[in-house]
Amino acid sequence: MMLWLPLVVLFSVWCAHAKKDSGPRIKSTKFDTLPSNLQWFDDTDIVLVQEREVGLVWRSDDAGVTWDKVKDVEKGEADEVWLNPHDNKKAYILSRGKTHWYTNDQGETWTAFNTGQSTPSEFREPLSFHAGDSDKVVLNTQICEDWVCDEASYYTVDGFATLELLRKDTRGCHFARSTLLFKTSDDDFFDDRVLCVAKGRYSPWPKDNRLLVSDNYFSDEFEPLLAEDRTVQGIISMAIVKGFLVAAAKAEGTSELALYVTDDAKIWHRAEFPHDSDKLEEEAYTILESTNYSIQVDVMTTRSMNAMGVLFSSNSNGTYFTENIKHTNRDFRGIVDFEKVQNIQGIVLVNVVDNWAEVERTGMAEKNIQSRISFDDGRTFEALTAGGKDLHLHSVTEMSNSGRVFSSSAPGLVMGIGNTGKFLKPYQEGDLYVSDDAGLTWRFALESAHKYEFGDQGSVLVAVYDEGPAEKIKYSIDHGKTWDSKKFEDPVNAKILTTTPDSTSLKFLLLGSIGSGSKTEYSVTAIDFDGLHESDCKKNDFEDWYARLDEDGNPSCIMGHTQMYRRRKPDADCFINKEFIDPLPLFEPCKCTEKDFECDYNFVRQDGKCVPATTLPKPKGACKSGDEKFTGSSGYRLIPGNECTRRGGVELDEEVERPCEDTVKTPSSGKISHVIQNFQANHFRGYYYMERTETSTGDDETIIMRTDMNEVYITHDHGKSWDVIPELEDEDIIAIVPHQYFKDAVFFLTGYSTVYYTVNRGKSFHEFYAPHPPNEDQLPALSFHPDNQDWLMWTGAVDCGTYSDKECHTETSISEDRGDSWKTMLRYVQKCEFIKKEGRGDSEKLVYCEQFKDERLDGQLQLLSSDDWFKTHKTHFEDILTFATMSEFIIVAQRDETQNLKVDASIDGKTFAPAAFPKNFNVPVQRAYTVLDSSTHAVFLHVTVGSHEDFEYGRLMKSNSNGTNYVLSVGGVNRNGPGYVDFEKMQGLEGVAIINVVDNLDDEEKRKAKKLRTLITHNDGAEWAPLKAPEEDADGKKFDCDVKNGKECSLHLHGYTERKDPRDTYSSASAVGLMMGVGNVGPSLTRKADADTFVTRNGGTDWHAVKKGNYVWEYGDQGGIIVIVEDNVATKVVYYSLDEGETWTEYQFADNPMIIDMLTTLPSDNSLNFLLWRRGTGSGGEVSTVNIDFSGLRDRKCILNEDDPSDPGSDYYLWQPKHPMQENNCLFGHVSEYHRKKLESECWNGHQIHQLHNVAQNCTCTRQDFECNYNYELDNGGVCSLVEGEKPLTGEEMCANDPNLRYYKEGTSYRRIPITTCEGGRALDAAEERLCPGQEPDPEKEHKGLSGFGLFVVAVLLPFLVAGGVGFWVWRNWDGKFGRIRLGDTGSAFDASQPWIQFPVAAISALVAVVAAIPLVASSAWRGISGMFGGGRRFTTRQSFARGRGDYAVVDPDEDELLGDDEEEDV
């Protein structure tokens, strides 16, 4: 309740005085709750303040003397108050609901407006303002249902009188002209340009976010070219900084960001930082207050909990950054101790860490902070001094007041809290210091810490005690040399001391509290110094004050001029008393010096000089035949906005003569090169590619490799040169564990608690100490969080020493600071996994664990979850075998009362439902499941039917969208003993998969060998057909059978179960439409020794013979080059194709033949370098790597015109995949168009291309858009018929089977394929739709997607995630390819945002064997890392299996106890 003084008292206190007052006038107003968010309307005495706790807004029109509730807004409705920064009459009150208010008269009246179903965004700033027209505002909103939120942006051009939809699926929109300094063109032609970060074209994940631009409020839109004339995905944020617009992008698999900058919203450049600087990381860089001609960025160089950084400044267009000062102090929130002195060009205050080496080394050391100041825009820094001693001040990381920390618009006046001495002491030990020469010299002002403010352009300085209740207000009218005071009515605990934004007023406001405990009261105190002086200042009361002086005391220049103010003399007995009139500087030009110039376009600074950064453009008409020189840029240009006088000064930008060779790029040699490196070892034990992403800096191609001699090597040039890692030279490394989600990080495990790691692709190495040695239960020791790089889970061995008499068990600990500190999370665990937050809406701390009940190893295995590191937890199941996480599903395996394997599935991680199989699905004991794929919003599950040794097979089942109802896709699908299945999805294309089926099932009991046939589906398993055989073999000869008879003469490929390296995938996500395989043409698959090599260019529809014999292959340059080498045969040549396998050329890489164990390249298949790994020559011999570099063949980068793909100058065409059984190109109800390079184009793809260009159209529904419904299967006529002896599923049964189902349809034999988008046409699933019992009707009938969080309408380039593992679950050296040899253990929760479609996930069996698949391995790193080339099985083929997160691996034959020899004897 407000407390009001009688009118007569107010009048007596505040009446005008004719004579000088003895001190300021003070008036307090009390509030029920703490006031906050106090804001002044610029150039007025009108103030707004919130009581956020009760949803109230108050207004004062007399600088806080009296207050009234704002009209038209009821209590509890106001959530946020925003002032329009470009119009001092406009403000906005936003609620958390759908009704909001605006004012056009400084809050005197308010008008409501409505946002329909949307509410203001909680994820980003809700309002964006137009600097040139205050009626134009963008409103960013959200529509949330439970934890699922859809975002959209709206706009108004009439100050919210009307509100229109701008665009759906946005992630924040801004006017380009959000500041007065930013201009889209000289004539403001693009004045209405709006930029939005928007959801990916067909993906909701941040990695696919796009930057979109529109000049007509998104009636039309386009995607700007940000890098190398290509668009960029993964835009995560956007900001307007003075005259610059900055967009930040982050690719998947890295924490590194790329900054793209424009100063006109048309031409963009990537911001370039020095090569030796630390990388930009998400939440690890801060864009600071910048100048009109430069951007200031601080980049974190340490961990966030004890952070330091490096300060950089850009050139005038924001593209090239140079280092200003190292070891800047910053906090975990990204706030940096940095402030520019307001209105004074070139003066900057920063805090730095003196003991930076200790802080970097330990991460926990207390910082020794020192203050520094620069007077030349950060080029040089010096210490602050007071009384001849170094002075250190508390800065932005410890803000105790609102607004700026040190300065205001008062010319040259600066204040701060700190101390003299060697380092900065705690705030409570600080005193108030003042400078009136912009920080050049300082003097002691007041003892103890105070809040402070400036008034009347510095004529009055105000301070309030800040170490407890303040009894008086203190003030100075002589620049802080002397101080007076006046008592408050009651002691006040100061919270905020503030004044008008321009510090021209004599009126101040103090927010605070009075009393303590239950007697605490809150107040706003108005303080007015208007009567302190009798007169206004005259001309003689002012002095000329120069903002900067050089060493000789002369005015110094910056941006080509000196800066001078007319300011009141400190001892003048007057006030300026010109409210709301900002002090204006006077500039005098200076002669140009070198400091007034910067590097011109296409030039960079090296060793202090500007040199060409690339090939220079050739001036028109220059460098004709015979010309040897041309006149061009000197490499320098005058900094835009610089006002220096050229006459008599330096003129670095005069054109100079340059040799014409500077305009010609060194042509490619036209040759291939190779480098052989030999190592003294018997075999390679492991290697790992640390690939850069699209937003990573540099051009390195880094590999870490280990030999059986326990030497760990690193190369940054794809194997052309190798170096031993010195930090690991004397260490016994037992496992190398790459970070599962961040490609720049890899961990090196020892047999004890020491762990080494790198987070910058091997530039530097560090170590931490785990709480326990690695576990002995063959569990992953390290598990990684998908989003927080420094969050680690460690599963270690406790009481497992030789001399321990306690029970050996595993214990899982958690670290949130990359191993600096650990907390015990759970004991007696089997495994723990982070659960990906994205798409499930749970806490980012959500963890699932298997724990033995009552912490007893003979107890039941429980499934628990927690979102607070197991301070509390929930028990989901009391007795399980294991659980597996996949893209949209969590699958749990347990035994039922008959000892059958029972499967439950969950989408949200909270509600589980049992899996239901068709009624005729009679398997005596369901002993093994293999979860294969869930990338298309349905689970493919292989259920073992036949389990005789060497005659294993099963049925391929496909689920509905929540993983609970399964129908038969195809029977007789081949698997092997360990549980791996001949099933493989084509990467990059939706719904295409290849399987091998057993064609002679009747021979199972006869113990005959299996006969396999290869089938392909183009509609996600709804229909299967043989692979079409090519017309002739590699020698041009006809085959022995009639290739037109697909049943008796088709192509068959050796699949997953036969691979020496299971990571040898047919396809690559970056080479859309291409697949390679080895096999034969005939009625069935023959011996691999007799196989040939084949290729398809159109997604498996047509195949061509490549070579006679077995070859392994790798794709490079996104399919622009394919390299093959003969498998398991001594050779000295490779073959390569530059036209997608149409023609092949031989290249000899050695004088003598060698057996190649592996052909590798970057996981993204976007390199021009390939690496051959030569098999060892025996004990005491040597192994070799052979780098083959194809970059010399060509030097032109392909031209891609995304806006006009039909451009004759483009090197690409649009390719449409099609179903071979359809006349048109419709797949899953739509026509997709992909960028494919023209075969005749002699160029390299270069920068990663986003192949999917567009979904050209939706199609009418056909048979291929449907699959058999539950309890139905294909009959011999290809029709979905009810299984024998069954009745159709009732509506009640449908609803019971799917708790999330709202509506059901009875009596249909077909159901739509989950990912189809077809409309109209055949409606094979047509039936009356009815509401499930107990469900509420959905008036809008919104189908939110398969898992309720806005999944893809079109699933393109989606990975399917994999999981698995019981007893053992060693995740192998995931490096983005399946084909790495095992380098270590890791977790197993995989996110759905991976760019590579992945393969068989987990084999879940009643034998207590969950055979891990992509990216897992079923073998223990703790028994010694048996390498691909050494112990265990030799891998001799291409290592790029599925471009995902690992692979199947060696399953040792002596691991029977893990694979489950406890199977039932009567089975």
Side-chain angles (χ1 to χ4, degrees):
M1 178 179 178
M2 300 290 296
L3 302 177
W4 302 102
L5 296 177
L7 180 62
V8 62
V9 176
L10 288 174
F11 180 78
S12 64
V13 173
W14 291 93
C15 62
H17 287 256
K19 60 181 181 179
K20 180 177 179 178
D21 288 341
S22 59
R25 297 189 292 270
I26 299 175
K27 164 68 170 54
S28 290
T29 303
K30 294 182 179 178
F31 291 80
D32 292 337
T33 61
L34 180 65
S36 63
N37 194 22
L38 188 148
Q39 300 187 70
W40 301 76
F41 282 94
D42 197 23
D43 295 339
T44 73
D45 283 335
I46 301 173
V47 193
L48 299 178
V49 71
Q50 282 184 261
E51 282 188 274
R52 297 198 69 169
E53 188 176 327
V54 293
L56 278 175
V57 179
W58 297 85
R59 178 180 184 270
S60 172
D61 58 8
D62 52 12
V65 178
T66 60
W67 295 90
D68 295 296
K69 295 177 185 176
V70 299
K71 302 174 182 177
D72 307 312
V73 183
E74 297 298 323
K75 183 177 180 180
E77 293 184 320
D79 183 55
E80 294 186 58
V81 177
W82 290 76
L83 302 188
N84 192 311
H86 310 297
D87 190 329
N88 70 347
K89 290 182 169 53
K90 296 180 178 179
Y92 315 91
I93 294 176
L94 302 181
S95 72
R96 293 196 174 187
K98 297 155 188 175
T99 301
H100 318 279
W101 299 265
Y102 65 89
T103 179
N104 293 321
D105 55 11
Q106 298 173 336
E108 179 69 25
T109 60
W110 295 83
T111 303
F113 66 95
N114 193 274
T115 53
Q117 298 299 313
S118 299
T119 60
S121 176
E122 297 178 17
F123 304 108
R124 54 205 90 258
E125 288 191 355
L127 297 175
S128 173
F129 305 96
H130 193 289
D133 186 343
S134 62
D135 280 334
K136 297 176 180 178
V137 185
V138 169
L139 175 65
N140 296 310
T141 72
Q142 62 191 32
I143 301 176
C144 295
E145 181 178 337
D146 297 327
W147 45 267
V148 181
C149 292
D150 294 324
E151 296 185 71
S153 296
Y154 293 80
Y155 73 98
T156 178
V157 295
D158 51 19
F160 286 105
T162 60
L163 188 64
E164 302 291 337
L165 176 66
L166 181 66
R167 194 187 192 281
K168 293 182 179 179
D169 295 326
T170 58
R171 303 293 184 262
C173 295
H174 299 268
F175 283 106
R177 199 177 179 196
S178 291
T179 70
L180 290 172
L181 293 172
F182 194 95
K183 293 183 70 67
T184 53
S185 62
D186 292 336
D187 58 2
D188 291 335
F189 182 76
F190 299 108
D191 198 54
D192 286 340
R193 175 159 290 188
V194 178
L195 298 96
C196 293
V197 177
K199 187 179 78 171
R201 195 185 299 269
Y202 308 110
S203 161
W205 310 119
K207 73 180 182 66
D208 297 308
N209 285 354
R210 299 180 297 156
L211 181 64
L212 299 177
V213 180
S214 177
D215 295 312
N216 53 16
Y217 299 106
F218 284 90
S219 293
D220 301 296
E221 65 184 35
F222 66 91
E223 200 170 349
L225 305 179
L226 301 185
E228 300 183 22
D229 298 324
R230 304 271 172 88
T231 59
V232 172
Q233 294 184 356
I235 306 295
I236 61 172
S237 61
M238 177 177 56
I240 289 85
V241 183
K242 293 290 182 72
F244 306 94
L245 198 157
V246 181
K250 185 174 84 70
E252 189 175 36
T254 183
S255 58
E256 185 171 2
L257 298 183
L259 291 186
Y260 300 95
V261 183
T262 179
D263 55 8
D264 60 5
K266 294 190 286 289
I267 300 175
W268 295 76
H269 302 275
R270 177 167 179 169
E272 299 290 342
F273 289 79
H275 292 299
D276 58 348
S277 64
D278 287 82
K279 62 185 180 182
L280 285 179
E281 292 190 346
E282 188 176 13
E283 300 180 358
Y285 77 99
T286 305
I287 298 179
L288 302 165
E289 179 190 12
S290 300
T291 67
N292 299 353
Y293 47 86
S294 178
I295 304 173
Q296 273 68 49
V297 174
D298 188 86
V299 179
M300 187 171 69
T301 58
T302 59
R303 305 182 201 179
S304 60
M305 295 307 294
N306 209 14
M308 297 184 295
V310 177
L311 178 64
F312 294 92
S313 292
S314 77
N315 61 348
S316 63
N317 68 356
T319 55
Y320 292 104
F321 284 77
T322 55
E323 182 182 295
N324 294 123
I325 189 170
K326 292 183 176 180
H327 317 308
T328 52
N329 184 53
R330 51 187 292 143
D331 66 13
F332 68 94
R333 301 165 296 175
I335 297 174
V336 183
D337 280 346
F338 170 96
E339 183 172 301
K340 302 181 77 69
V341 174
Q342 187 174 352
N343 291 343
I344 307 293
Q345 287 183 318
I347 302 182
V348 181
L349 288 96
V350 300
N351 280 348
V352 297
V353 179
D354 182 64
N355 61 331
W356 57 269
E358 181 184 6
V359 173
E360 282 185 347
R361 185 174 63 255
T362 68
M364 302 297 290
E366 184 177 351
K367 296 177 184 175
N368 294 333
I369 296 174
Q370 299 175 330
S371 295
R372 296 288 183 265
I373 191 168
S374 173
F375 296 95
D376 55 8
D377 240 359
R379 293 185 177 89
T380 61
F381 283 85
E382 59 190 70
L384 285 67
T385 58
K389 299 179 181 179
D390 286 353
L391 174 65
H392 313 289
L393 301 175
H394 292 272
S395 186
V396 186
T397 58
E398 297 181 278
M399 285 188 66
S400 61
N401 204 11
S402 63
R404 289 178 172 271
V405 176
F406 303 116
S407 62
S408 72
S409 60
L413 272 294
V414 189
M415 288 193 285
I417 303 298
N419 58 271
T420 56
K422 197 171 182 180
F423 308 116
L424 183 64
K425 297 178 181 179
Y427 181 79
Q428 292 77 11
E429 298 180 29
D431 301 318
L432 179 64
Y433 288 81
V434 176
S435 171
D436 61 0
D437 53 13
L440 183 63
T441 60
W442 295 75
R443 57 175 169 267
F444 174 86
L446 292 172
E447 185 177 345
S448 300
H450 288 71
K451 296 189 189 299
Y452 47 86
E453 260 296 357
F454 307 82
D456 195 46
Q457 301 183 33
S459 299
V460 57
L461 308 181
V462 179
V464 179
Y465 180 70
D466 196 26
E467 296 184 22
E471 297 183 352
K472 58 184 72 173
I473 182 80
K474 301 175 184 177
Y475 59 94
S476 172
I477 56 176
D478 56 6
H479 292 187
K481 297 176 183 176
T482 62
W483 293 80
D484 294 314
S485 64
K486 185 171 183 179
K487 293 190 67 174
F488 293 119
E489 182 177 344
D490 297 299
V492 178
N493 292 294
K495 306 295 183 185
I496 297 292
L497 177 64
T498 184
T499 185
T500 56
D502 56 13
S503 293
T504 61
S505 175
L506 289 166
K507 299 166 185 176
F508 300 80
L509 287 175
L510 176 65
L511 278 69
S513 62
I514 300 169
S516 61
S518 61
K519 298 182 179 180
T520 300
E521 298 179 299
Y522 302 100
S523 65
V524 175
T525 300
I527 305 165
D528 189 356
F529 288 88
D530 187 47
L532 207 59
H533 281 305
E534 294 179 349
S535 60
D536 295 339
C537 293
K538 304 297 188 294
K539 182 177 181 180
N540 292 336
D541 293 314
F542 291 87
E543 62 182 358
D544 291 344
W545 179 78
Y546 284 90
R548 297 170 307 278
L549 301 177
D550 60 21
E551 296 178 354
D552 300 324
N554 298 318
S556 61
C557 300
I558 196 166
M559 285 298 287
H561 55 237
T562 63
Q563 187 177 11
M564 187 267 288
Y565 284 91
R566 292 282 293 169
R567 74 175 186 185
R568 171 185 170 275
K569 296 176 181 178
D571 56 354
D573 188 19
C574 62
F575 281 142
I576 298 175
N577 212 15
K578 293 183 178 179
E579 278 191 317
F580 318 128
I581 299 178
D582 297 344
L584 298 176
L586 300 174
F587 298 107
E588 297 178 3
C590 305
K591 293 180 179 179
C592 294
T593 67
E594 290 185 9
K595 294 180 179 179
D596 297 306
F597 295 86
E598 65 179 9
C599 293
D600 201 355
Y601 290 107
N602 297 319
F603 290 80
V604 294
R605 193 172 294 277
Q606 290 183 2
D607 300 325
K609 294 186 177 181
C610 295
V611 298
T614 183
T615 303
L616 299 179
K618 184 189 302 182
K620 187 176 182 180
C623 292
K624 297 180 179 178
S625 178
D627 293 347
E628 296 182 356
K629 294 185 177 181
F630 72 97
T631 301
S633 171
S634 66
Y636 296 86
R637 69 170 183 168
L638 191 69
I639 298 172
N642 193 292
E643 298 176 351
C644 69
T645 301
R646 291 180 174 272
R647 180 175 295 180
V650 174
E651 294 191 61
L652 294 182
D653 57 348
E654 289 186 335
E655 290 189 332
V656 298
E657 281 195 337
R658 291 189 173 278
C660 285
E661 62 187 34
D662 286 356
T663 68
V664 181
K665 182 179 179 180
T666 303
S668 60
S669 64
K671 298 179 180 179
I672 304 166
S673 63
H674 68 268
V675 178
I676 300 177
Q677 296 287 353
N678 299 316
F679 304 87
Q680 295 302 312
N682 298 315
H683 58 263
F684 295 108
R685 183 163 287 181
Y687 65 89
Y688 170 70
Y689 275 86
M690 303 189 72
E691 184 174 13
R692 294 176 299 105
T693 68
E694 293 180 63
T695 58
S696 300
T697 54
D699 56 5
D700 62 287
E701 296 185 358
T702 299
I703 313 171
I704 290 175
M705 174 267 291
R706 183 164 66 115
T707 70
D708 66 333
M709 306 303 291
N710 211 28
E711 291 181 311
V712 183
Y713 293 83
I714 190 169
T715 175
H716 295 291
D717 54 13
H718 213 132
K720 293 176 182 176
S721 61
W722 294 88
D723 296 300
V724 173
I725 299 175
E727 290 86 351
L728 307 179
E729 200 163 1
D730 298 323
E731 290 292 341
D732 183 19
I733 303 300
I734 67 169
I736 302 176
V737 185
H739 197 296
Q740 187 174 345
Y741 301 100
F742 294 90
K743 296 181 180 180
D744 296 341
V746 64
F747 297 78
F748 304 83
L749 276 57
T750 65
Y752 42 98
S753 295
T754 304
V755 178
Y756 295 88
Y757 67 89
T758 177
V759 292
N760 52 16
R761 299 200 299 276
K763 291 182 181 178
S764 61
F765 291 82
H766 308 276
E767 65 183 72
F768 65 75
Y769 297 97
H772 306 288
N775 68 82
E776 300 179 0
D777 293 336
Q778 303 177 356
L779 302 170
L782 268 175
S783 299
F784 303 102
H785 194 278
D787 301 315
N788 297 287
Q789 183 178 358
D790 290 346
W791 288 13
L792 306 175
M793 278 195 298
W794 177 268
T795 301
V798 179
D799 296 330
C800 297
T802 304
Y803 302 102
S804 175
D805 58 356
K806 298 181 180 179
E807 186 176 46
C808 173
H809 63 278
T810 56
E811 181 175 296
T812 298
S813 304
I814 184 73
S815 173
E816 296 183 75
D817 52 18
R818 204 188 307 151
D820 284 347
S821 60
W822 295 90
K823 293 180 181 178
T824 299
M825 194 168 67
L826 209 59
R827 297 175 177 86
Y828 286 82
V829 298
Q830 184 75 4
K831 71 176 180 184
C832 288
E833 292 183 14
F834 292 108
I835 302 299
K836 176 73 172 176
K837 176 185 177 184
E838 191 171 62
R840 285 200 173 95
D842 294 283
S843 165
E844 61 183 353
K845 294 184 178 181
L846 182 63
V847 174
Y848 270 63
C849 285
E850 298 171 357
Q851 184 191 37
F852 292 101
K853 190 172 183 179
D854 299 327
E855 297 189 359
R856 293 172 53 92
L857 293 178
D858 59 355
Q860 293 176 331
L861 195 62
Q862 300 175 306
L863 180 62
L864 313 177
S865 70
S866 174
D867 59 7
D868 57 8
W869 305 148
F870 282 90
K871 294 177 184 176
T872 61
H873 72 268
K874 178 181 179 180
T875 302
H876 294 277
F877 295 93
E878 289 287 350
D879 186 9
I880 70 167
L881 295 175
T882 188
F883 75 97
T885 58
M886 306 187 312
S887 56
E888 302 166 33
F889 305 94
I890 300 175
I891 307 293
V892 178
Q894 55 183 324
R895 283 198 183 99
D896 62 17
E897 61 277 2
T898 64
Q899 295 303 297
N900 254 359
L901 191 63
K902 179 178 180 291
V903 172
D904 289 77
S906 174
I907 289 177
D908 60 9
K910 300 174 182 177
T911 303
F912 287 83
F917 294 99
K919 300 297 184 182
N920 67 337
F921 189 73
N922 298 317
V923 180
V925 176
Q926 295 171 23
R927 66 172 59 192
Y929 295 164
T930 303
V931 184
L932 295 169
D933 168 47
S934 66
S935 66
T936 50
H937 312 321
V939 176
F940 275 100
L941 188 69
H942 182 279
V943 183
T944 296
V945 176
S947 57
H948 285 115
E949 186 175 357
D950 295 329
F951 211 100
E952 300 89 354
Y953 65 93
R955 295 177 182 176
L956 185 63
M957 314 298 294
K958 185 182 179 184
S959 80
N960 60 348
S961 60
N962 71 354
T964 57
N965 276 342
Y966 288 80
V967 296
L968 178 66
S969 177
V970 64
V973 179
N974 183 53
R975 56 152 278 193
N976 60 12
Y980 303 126
V981 179
D982 277 346
F983 172 97
E984 186 168 320
K985 282 270 190 153
M986 184 178 186
Q987 302 174 62
L989 286 183
E990 51 191 339
V992 179
I994 292 177
I995 60 172
N996 282 339
V997 297
V998 180
D999 198 37
N1000 59 330
L1001 294 179
D1002 293 339
D1003 292 336
E1004 178 180 6
E1005 300 298 331
K1006 301 176 184 178
R1007 296 293 193 261
K1008 292 186 178 181
K1010 288 188 282 190
K1011 292 183 179 179
L1012 303 181
R1013 300 180 66 238
T1014 300
L1015 302 179
I1016 189 170
T1017 178
H1018 292 269
N1019 58 358
D1020 209 36
E1023 296 172 302
W1024 296 88
L1027 285 183
K1028 181 181 177 182
E1031 294 289 335
E1032 55 188 27
D1033 66 14
D1035 293 335
K1037 299 178 180 179
K1038 297 292 184 180
F1039 292 101
D1040 295 334
C1041 58
D1042 182 5
V1043 297
K1044 295 180 180 179
N1045 183 355
K1047 186 174 182 180
E1048 298 297 330
C1049 187
S1050 60
L1051 176 63
H1052 309 284
L1053 301 178
H1054 292 272
Y1056 196 89
T1057 59
E1058 292 187 81
R1059 291 173 182 161
K1060 289 179 292 184
D1061 183 348
R1063 299 161 290 190
D1064 290 355
T1065 51
Y1066 301 131
S1067 59
S1068 165
S1070 68
V1072 174
L1074 296 179
M1075 283 194 285
M1076 293 193 71
V1078 293
N1080 62 277
V1081 172
S1084 62
L1085 189 65
T1086 59
R1087 294 189 316 148
K1088 193 171 184 182
D1090 301 325
D1092 298 327
T1093 304
F1094 298 85
V1095 68
T1096 176
R1097 294 184 54 248
N1098 57 5
T1101 300
D1102 299 292
W1103 291 81
H1104 307 279
V1106 171
K1107 292 284 182 184
K1108 287 284 189 176
N1110 283 293
Y1111 285 79
V1112 292
W1113 57 89
E1114 273 291 1
Y1115 303 97
D1117 189 47
Q1118 305 168 63
I1121 182 171
I1122 308 174
V1123 178
I1124 61 175
V1125 66
E1126 200 159 5
D1127 182 20
N1128 206 32
V1129 174
T1131 183
K1132 55 184 178 180
V1133 299
V1134 297
Y1135 296 89
Y1136 67 92
S1137 173
L1138 301 176
D1139 52 12
E1140 298 183 345
E1142 290 284 322
T1143 60
W1144 296 87
T1145 305
E1146 179 182 283
Y1147 175 74
Q1148 181 175 329
F1149 60 84
D1151 294 330
N1152 299 309
M1154 57 178 70
I1155 296 178
I1156 302 301
D1157 268 330
M1158 186 72 70
L1159 167 63
T1160 69
T1161 188
L1162 292 183
S1164 65
D1165 293 328
N1166 194 28
S1167 177
L1168 294 173
N1169 283 264
F1170 297 79
L1171 203 60
L1172 302 174
W1173 302 78
R1174 180 173 73 92
R1175 182 180 300 177
T1177 57
S1179 178
E1182 69 175 13
V1183 293
S1184 307
T1185 61
V1186 184
N1187 168 277
I1188 305 180
D1189 186 351
F1190 291 87
S1191 61
L1193 286 177
R1194 297 169 172 173
D1195 54 15
R1196 186 173 74 86
K1197 190 183 77 171
C1198 298
I1199 298 172
L1200 172 64
N1201 188 339
E1202 294 191 55
D1203 293 329
D1204 183 12
S1206 61
D1207 181 359
S1210 174
D1211 290 300
Y1212 298 86
Y1213 69 99
L1214 291 181
W1215 174 68
Q1216 297 179 352
K1218 65 176 296 182
H1219 194 296
M1221 299 179 187
Q1222 292 183 192
E1223 296 181 359
N1224 55 27
N1225 290 346
C1226 290
L1227 277 176
F1228 302 108
H1230 53 266
V1231 176
S1232 298
E1233 296 179 327
Y1234 295 85
H1235 293 293
R1236 293 279 293 271
K1237 194 181 78 170
K1238 299 174 182 176
L1239 297 186
E1240 66 272 16
S1241 290
E1242 296 183 356
C1243 56
W1244 297 124
N1245 287 305
H1247 187 77
Q1248 192 76 35
I1249 298 169
H1250 305 292
Q1251 283 97 342
L1252 180 63
H1253 170 72
N1254 186 35
V1255 173
Q1257 67 183 69
N1258 269 1
C1259 307
T1260 56
C1261 298
T1262 67
R1263 166 66 181 86
Q1264 281 70 39
D1265 294 299
F1266 299 88
E1267 61 190 8
C1268 292
N1269 208 344
Y1270 180 68
N1271 269 344
Y1272 290 82
E1273 62 185 19
L1274 284 175
D1275 59 22
N1276 292 332
V1279 177
C1280 291
S1281 300
L1282 193 65
V1283 299
E1284 187 176 351
E1286 287 302 318
K1287 297 179 180 180
L1289 200 66
T1290 67
E1292 289 74 10
E1293 289 174 317
M1294 293 181 191
C1295 297
N1297 288 336
D1298 186 353
N1300 297 319
L1301 191 66
R1302 180 170 291 180
Y1303 293 90
Y1304 68 91
K1305 295 178 180 180
E1306 286 188 342
T1308 58
S1309 57
Y1310 293 86
R1311 65 185 185 192
R1312 283 172 65 98
I1313 295 173
I1315 61 174
T1316 187
T1317 61
C1318 70
E1319 300 171 342
R1322 300 186 69 180
L1324 298 183
D1325 62 339
E1328 183 180 355
E1329 193 168 52
R1330 300 179 182 179
L1331 185 67
C1332 279
Q1335 292 282 6
E1336 293 294 330
D1338 184 354
E1340 298 183 13
K1341 291 300 299 295
E1342 294 180 349
H1343 181 60
K1344 285 291 185 181
L1346 300 173
S1347 57
F1349 53 91
L1351 288 170
F1352 307 58
V1353 173
V1354 183
V1356 176
L1357 294 178
L1358 278 186
F1360 44 89
L1361 299 193
V1362 294
V1366 157
F1368 60 93
W1369 193 344
V1370 181
W1371 177 69
R1372 295 185 23 125
N1373 43 310
W1374 172 70
D1375 60 352
K1377 288 201 172 187
F1378 286 44
R1380 284 308 151 282
I1381 57 180
R1382 177 176 62 235
L1383 298 178
D1385 294 4
T1386 188
S1388 56
F1390 311 113
D1391 68 291
S1393 56
Q1394 287 308 307
W1396 306 293
I1397 297 185
Q1398 305 171 8
F1399 287 77
V1401 182
I1404 304 175
S1405 82
L1407 313 180
V1408 194
V1410 176
V1411 180
I1414 319 277
L1416 316 172
V1417 290
S1419 184
S1420 169
W1422 313 118
R1423 297 188 176 182
I1425 308 303
S1426 58
M1428 289 189 165
F1429 309 102
R1433 186 183 352 172
R1434 286 198 306 268
F1435 293 78
T1436 61
T1437 53
R1438 158 180 178 275
Q1439 49 71 47
S1440 57
F1441 175 72
R1443 306 311 197 259
R1445 294 202 160 137
D1447 58 280
Y1448 288 136
V1450 181
V1451 180
D1452 296 336
D1454 62 347
E1455 289 187 329
D1456 290 339
E1457 74 278 12
L1458 297 175
L1459 296 176
D1461 269 0
D1462 59 337
E1463 63 183 288
E1464 298 179 19
E1465 295 181 356
D1466 59 346
V1467 175

